[in-house]
Amino acid sequence: MNVFTTSAEVHAWSIAQKRAGRTVALVPTMGYLHEGHLSLIREARKHCDCVIVSIFVNPTQFAPNEDYDAYPHKEDDDIALCEAEGAAAVFLPNADEMYPRDASTWVEETVLAKGYCGAQRPIHFRGVCTVVAKLFNIAAPDVAVFGQKDFQQVAVIRRMVRDLNFPIEIIRAPIIRDEDGLAKSSRNTYLTADMRKRALSLSRALFAAKAAVDAGERNAAAIEATIRETVTAEGWIPDYVNVIDTETLTPLQEVLPGTSAILLACRCEGIRLIDNILL
Ligand code: AMP
């Protein structure tokens, strides 16, 4: 497996793959890899001949009060995991490689990025779009795989790809959870044992909402209120809980099974978790 640290190496490698008739899939990550990330590599391998995983904690998507400096790292383990999953290459740039000191160009999606996580984190999706657009130009993939765990992120990236004519297919891979339901996340490492136990209320509330919808419930306000009660009872403060349309991300008053999802973000003692479920 190749381990690259410069954009030039990655670009040359990708172009060489294509000249040799092989397709390339990109899996962008911030590292501290877990089973969720590995599922994206497996999904990517189904679609393309070779997979490149980028590992880069992108400073431009963190606000000054967020956890950029505390974000967990374990690069050596991450490289070994990528190799074990059959990735062909890993791209591990540093911030200077990705951003010239006087970089002054941004990529910003201005509609889907506004609500939900974008409302609480106003510069977040601008940073995400900018770094993903750069990774797309650097790695020139045929396919890129993102997790449903970050539902709004995939919607924003799909819109950017459409609007800016990136010739790249975007795949959304399902959420991987711990056995007890907690969605896997690099940030789960911040949870104390007690907080983790109480964090199970997020997935429990979403599963219960899905069961209610399967049993005929359609009233979004009622579903959202029940979820709020469930997580609040366990000490989690909801940032947002919304039944939404999966394409436009607009909040719905009535669930439309097949095209609706519930998006959820909660905070507790400075830690913020997100989760979602398709209805
Ligand atoms: P991150 O390293 O958190 O930026 O995530 C990199 C990619 O992995 C994103 O596309 C995430 O949506 C995806 N991802 C993170 N956690 C999970 C999970 N539990 N299941 C599936 N995909 C995930």
Side-chain angles (χ1 to χ4, degrees):
M1 188 182 70
N2 298 284
V3 179
F4 299 126
T5 54
T6 68
S7 310
E9 290 169 303
V10 172
H11 196 71
W13 172 84
S14 179
I15 298 304
Q17 300 311 312
K18 291 180 169 187
R19 291 225 171 98
R22 290 190 279 272
T23 52
V24 174
L26 171 69
V27 178
T29 80
M30 298 205 298
Y32 210 74
L33 302 184
H34 52 64
E35 196 52 40
H37 299 110
L38 304 185
S39 76
L40 304 189
I41 301 177
R42 275 175 225 138
E43 184 65 27
R45 287 190 66 191
K46 290 189 207 155
H47 293 271
C48 286
D49 301 311
C50 25
V51 175
I52 178 159
V53 180
S54 62
I55 298 176
F56 179 59
V57 184
N58 174 36
T60 65
Q61 69 192 62
F62 290 79
N65 61 331
E66 294 181 350
D67 58 343
Y68 176 69
D69 290 324
Y71 201 83
H73 290 260
K74 55 174 176 69
E75 277 82 13
D76 291 346
D77 291 356
D78 288 350
I79 291 170
L81 287 168
C82 290
E83 181 147 38
E85 286 301 335
V90 170
F91 179 36
L92 265 168
N94 62 26
D96 289 340
E97 175 66 20
M98 288 302 279
Y99 293 104
R101 286 200 185 281
D102 56 352
S104 51
T105 306
W106 296 102
V107 180
E108 190 167 12
E109 193 287 324
T110 58
V111 172
L112 303 180
K114 285 296 174 226
Y116 314 112
C117 286
Q120 259 97 36
R121 309 180 71 192
I123 61 156
H124 176 70
F125 287 112
R126 182 184 74 166
V128 169
C129 284
T130 302
V131 82
V132 170
K134 287 166 68 69
L135 290 168
F136 285 175
N137 285 330
I138 293 165
D142 301 284
V143 166
V145 183
F146 293 84
Q148 182 200 319
K149 166 79 187 350
D150 298 274
F151 196 97
Q152 186 178 12
Q153 172 172 277
V154 197
V156 169
I157 298 288
R158 279 197 169 138
R159 178 63 64 89
M160 176 188 84
V161 161
R162 186 201 73 180
D163 289 352
L164 298 185
N165 303 84
F166 282 103
I168 299 171
E169 183 188 355
I170 304 300
I171 308 282
R172 187 179 70 200
I175 302 178
I176 303 298
R177 299 178 179 279
D178 287 337
E179 264 176 33
D180 54 13
L182 184 68
K184 285 185 184 281
S185 164
S186 308
R187 289 189 167 103
N188 290 351
T189 183
Y190 300 152
L191 298 170
T192 62
D194 173 59
M195 284 169 86
R196 191 191 174 289
K197 211 156 102 199
R198 291 186 287 108
L200 296 178
S201 60
L202 278 67
S203 53
R204 200 170 62 235
L206 292 176
F207 296 151
K210 166 97 168 68
V213 169
D214 290 345
E217 175 67 87
R218 295 291 178 268
N219 183 329
I223 293 169
E224 291 162 5
T226 308
I227 294 172
R228 282 177 180 277
E229 272 168 34
T230 307
V231 298
T232 308
E234 296 292 332
W236 286 86
I237 300 157
D239 267 354
Y240 61 79
V241 181
N242 285 103
V243 176
I244 55 122
D245 176 272
T246 51
E247 288 302 311
T248 61
L249 305 188
T250 17
L252 297 175
Q253 290 180 342
E254 198 174 307
V255 176
L256 291 169
T259 58
S260 307
I262 306 170
L263 304 187
L264 165 63
C266 293
R267 276 174 207 274
C268 180
E269 292 170 38
I271 296 171
R272 186 169 179 278
L273 297 180
I274 58 171
D275 201 347
N276 66 81
I277 198 160
L278 291 166
L279 298 172

